[in-house]
Amino acid sequence: MANPLRGEVFRLYKNLLYLGREYPKGAAYFRERLKSAFMKNKDVKDPEKIKALVAKGDFVIKELQALYYLRKYRAMKKRYYESEE
Amino acid sequence: MSGRVLVGVKRVIDYAVKIRVKPDNSGVVTDGVKHSMNPFCEIAVEEAVKLKEKKLIKEVVAVSCGPQQSQETIRTALAMGADRGIHVEVTGKDYDTLGPLQVSKILAALAKKEEAQLVILGKQAIDDDCNQTGQMTAALLDWPQGTFASEVSLENDKVKVVREIDGGLETIKISTPAVLTADLRLNTPRYATLPNIMKAKKKKIANVKPADLGVDLTSRLEVLRVDEPPQRQAGMKVETVDDLVVKLKDAGKV
C-alpha cells in the first residue's frame, strides 16, 4: 500500500518540524503552517503524487537551510565587516 | 603525523537573540536564552570536515569547554561530521571567568595529548569578541598560526593560508603542526539536520576536567561593569534646506 511512503512522509514532517525551530517568525507560526500544509494533502492516495509532494517537501528543507545560512551570513557581515563603499 | 584535527567550538547566545543586560550591570542575561554554536566555530568545524572528506586528514575531534550544556554544541559538531568529542567540564565561578587565556591553555594541553596536526578555531566568539584564543594557543604550543583564514590548502606537511587582512588578502605558507582561525568567507557550513543529529548520538564524547590536563583556571581579569550601548538619538526632520543649514549651524557642525 502506501506504507513505505508513510515512513517517508513522517520523516519529512519530523525534519521540517526540527528545522522550523529556527524560523524567523517563530517556531509556533511555522508548526501551524506545516501542520495545515500536511493536513491539506492527507487524502492523497496515488503513490506518484505522494512522492512528488515529498520531493517538494525536501526542496522546502533546502530552501530553509539556505534562508538560515544567508540570514546568519548577512548578520555576521554587517556586524564584523566595514561596508565596502 | 597523526592526521588528527582538533576543532574548538564555543556555546554562545544565539546570534539572532536580542541581548539584555542584567539589572545589576554584572553581565548579560543568559538564563532561558537560546544558545547555539558560535558562527565562526561552525565555519571551523566545516573546514575540518571538508579536509577529512578530501582524505587529507583522518580524524576530526570537537572540543568545548563549559558546563553540561556545552555537550549540545559538541553534538552539533558531531552532526556536522566530527568523529568524536571532548567535553572539558568547567562550571560555576570558573565558567564565569573562563576566557581566552584559560581556554588556550586547555586547547594547548589537548593538542599535545591528542597529537593534533592542526587546531582550527573560529576567529572570535560573538559574545566576547576577544579574537585571542587562536593566537594564544599557537603561542603556548610554539606552533605557527594562520589567522583570519579565508582559504586553506594542505600541501604535504605545509599549509597554505590566504588571510583576510585590512586592505586585502595575504597568502602565507606555514608548516604543521599549526593553529588556524576561520574567517567568515572560508566556507559555507552545512546544516546539522535531524537525521545527522540522530546518527551523531552514537559518537563518543569524552569527559575531561581541566585539572586532569594540569591547567590552572585562575583569571587575571575582573569584569567591573557591563552596560548597554548608548541609545541611538532620534533623527529630526526639517522642511527646507534653509532650516537644515540653521540646525547645522546651531549644532556647531557648519
Side-chain angles (χ1 to χ4, degrees), chain B residues 20-31:
Chain B
R20 285 181 304 131
V21 175
K22 284 194 203 155
D24 62 1
N25 293 102
S26 64
V28 148
V29 177
T30 54
D31 284 340

Side-chain angles (χ1 to χ4, degrees), chain B residues 164-184:
Chain B
E164 291 206 26
I165 58 173
D166 292 346
L169 299 171
E170 177 192 56
T171 309
I172 61 170
K173 204 179 241 182
I174 55 178
S175 40
T176 54
V179 175
L180 305 174
T181 69
D183 211 322
L184 189 62

Side-chain angles (χ1 to χ4, degrees), chain A residues 11-67:
Chain A
R11 173 196 61 84
L12 179 68
Y13 189 81
K14 277 197 291 195
N15 288 347
L16 278 165
L17 199 57
Y18 181 78
L19 266 176
R21 299 178 320 165
E22 226 185 294
Y23 198 68
K25 279 192 168 158
Y29 176 97
F30 185 88
R31 195 176 49 236
E32 264 178 55
R33 299 237 164 356
L34 175 67
K35 190 153 183 218
S36 61
F38 269 65
M39 281 314 195
K40 213 170 57 165
N41 294 316
K42 73 176 160 80
D43 291 321
V44 175
K45 290 275 186 288
D46 178 12
E48 286 307 312
K49 287 214 184 77
I50 296 177
K51 278 196 198 135
L53 286 169
V54 169
K56 189 167 158 204
D58 282 329
F59 179 72
V60 170
I61 287 181
K62 287 205 169 68
E63 286 201 303
L64 281 171
Q65 290 177 3
L67 167 72

Side-chain angles (χ1 to χ4, degrees), chain B:
Chain B
M1 271 299 150
S2 65
R4 186 172 294 136
V5 173
L6 214 67
V7 182
V9 294
K10 186 178 180 188
R11 178 177 181 262
V12 298
I13 296 179
D14 189 83
Y15 84 97
V17 166
K18 192 159 192 328
I19 309 290
R20 285 181 304 131
V21 175
K22 284 194 203 155
D24 62 1
N25 293 102
S26 64
V28 148
V29 177
T30 54
D31 284 340
V33 173
K34 182 171 183 219
H35 283 66
S36 50
M37 191 191 292
N38 180 41
F40 294 107
C41 296
E42 288 177 347
I43 299 174
V45 174
E46 176 66 26
E47 195 60 23
V49 173
K50 272 201 165 75
L51 288 174
K52 194 180 86 157
E53 284 170 348
K54 286 189 207 153
K55 300 216 193 313
L56 293 169
I57 56 131
K58 286 201 221 102
E59 194 187 26
V60 178
V61 182
V63 181
S64 193
C65 308
Q68 268 300 100
Q69 296 97 318
S70 294
Q71 292 199 7
E72 290 164 22
T73 314
I74 300 177
R75 292 242 172 263
T76 308
L78 294 173
M80 284 173 72
D83 298 294
R84 58 184 167 90
I86 299 177
H87 172 216
V88 182
E89 213 177 316
V90 181
T91 52
K93 271 270 165 283
D94 282 336
Y95 182 60
D96 290 337
T97 57
L98 191 71
L101 181 60
Q102 294 76 23
V103 174
S104 55
K105 285 180 185 172
I106 292 172
L107 289 175
L110 279 172
K112 281 199 212 125
K113 186 160 171 252
E114 297 286 332
E115 294 178 329
Q117 188 180 351
L118 282 176
V119 174
I120 310 184
L121 305 173
K123 71 165 181 174
Q124 68 198 76
I126 59 172
D127 53 6
D128 55 26
D129 285 319
C130 285
N131 195 317
Q132 299 166 352
T133 309
Q135 292 83 342
M136 282 179 172
T137 309
L140 287 169
L141 288 164
D142 198 25
W143 286 6
Q145 55 188 265
T147 53
F148 307 101
S150 68
E151 210 182 296
V152 169
S153 40
L154 297 190
E155 296 170 6
N156 299 315
D157 58 349
K158 293 224 191 290
V159 187
K160 193 171 92 174
V161 184
V162 178
R163 306 179 57 228
E164 291 206 26
I165 58 173
D166 292 346
L169 299 171
E170 177 192 56
T171 309
I172 61 170
K173 204 179 241 182
I174 55 178
S175 40
T176 54
V179 175
L180 305 174
T181 69
D183 211 322
L184 189 62
R185 282 164 272 254
L186 181 58
N187 58 48
T188 305
R190 65 198 67 189
Y191 201 84
T193 57
L194 189 58
N196 289 336
I197 301 246
M198 287 294 140
K199 273 186 245 164
K201 289 201 171 174
K202 296 195 200 109
K203 300 181 184 174
K204 290 208 185 316
I205 300 181
N207 205 298
V208 172
K209 302 237 174 17
D212 299 341
L213 300 166
V215 170
D216 161 34
L217 291 178
T218 17
S219 176
R220 274 78 157 159
L221 299 173
E222 185 194 335
V223 173
L224 297 175
R225 202 186 152 83
V226 176
D227 285 303
E228 274 186 21
Q231 298 290 355
R232 237 188 86 173
Q233 296 293 351
M236 277 186 294
K237 270 190 169 168
V238 292
E239 292 297 308
T240 71
V241 173
D242 293 330
D243 284 350
L244 176 61
V245 173
V246 165
K247 283 246 161 32
L248 284 173
K249 280 199 174 141
D250 284 344
K253 305 271 185 202
V254 171

